[in-house]
């Protein structure tokens, strides 16, 4: 049994808040996490029907989180997003 429809993971609080609020307005139950490690812990503890995660995070990238989620729950969809643009000074 899942405790939420969507696990939203983003280290940017503004993105996390706005995207989470939009999902709630659309009728989804949302759990928010501010890091990849926190998101992974929440997924293991509570589960989710889908995961939306920032790709560029310091502790655990979205790609690494997606791999862990898929290993534990292959049927769970994972959407990777990013508001950061890689480049000089922003790897």
């Amino acid at each position: 049994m899942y405790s939420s429809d969507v696990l939203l993971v983003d280290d940017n609080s503004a993105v996390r808040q706005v995207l989470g609020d939009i999902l709630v307005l659309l009728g989804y139950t949302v759990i928010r996490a501010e890091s990849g490690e926190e998101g992974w812990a929440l997924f293991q503890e509570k589960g989710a029907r889908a995961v939306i995660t920032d790709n560029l995070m310091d502790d655990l990238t979205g790609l690494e989180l997606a791999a862990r989620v898929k290993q534990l729950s292959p049927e769970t969809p994972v959407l990777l997003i990013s508001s950061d643009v890689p480049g000089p000074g922003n790897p």
Side-chain angles (χ1 to χ4, degrees):
M1 177 83 43
Y2 302 109
S3 66
S4 72
D5 294 317
V6 178
L7 171 61
L8 175 60
V9 185
D10 200 308
D11 56 355
N12 182 316
S13 61
V15 171
R16 196 172 57 247
Q17 185 66 45
V18 170
L19 187 52
D21 289 352
I22 291 168
L23 290 167
V24 168
L25 285 172
L26 291 172
Y28 295 98
T29 304
V30 179
I31 296 176
R32 297 174 179 139
E34 64 182 58
S35 72
E37 289 294 348
E38 181 185 6
W40 174 235
L42 286 169
F43 186 80
Q44 290 177 299
E45 178 186 339
K46 300 177 182 254
R49 294 185 186 278
V51 176
I52 300 175
T53 180
D54 182 13
N55 189 39
L56 300 175
M57 295 180 288
D58 292 333
D59 66 336
L60 184 70
T61 69
L63 195 56
E64 292 166 332
L65 176 59
R68 289 183 184 186
V69 167
K70 287 298 191 176
Q71 186 174 18
L72 183 65
S73 179
E75 72 282 356
T76 301
V78 180
L79 176 65
L80 276 75
I81 61 172
S82 186
S83 60
D84 296 322
V85 179
N90 192 17

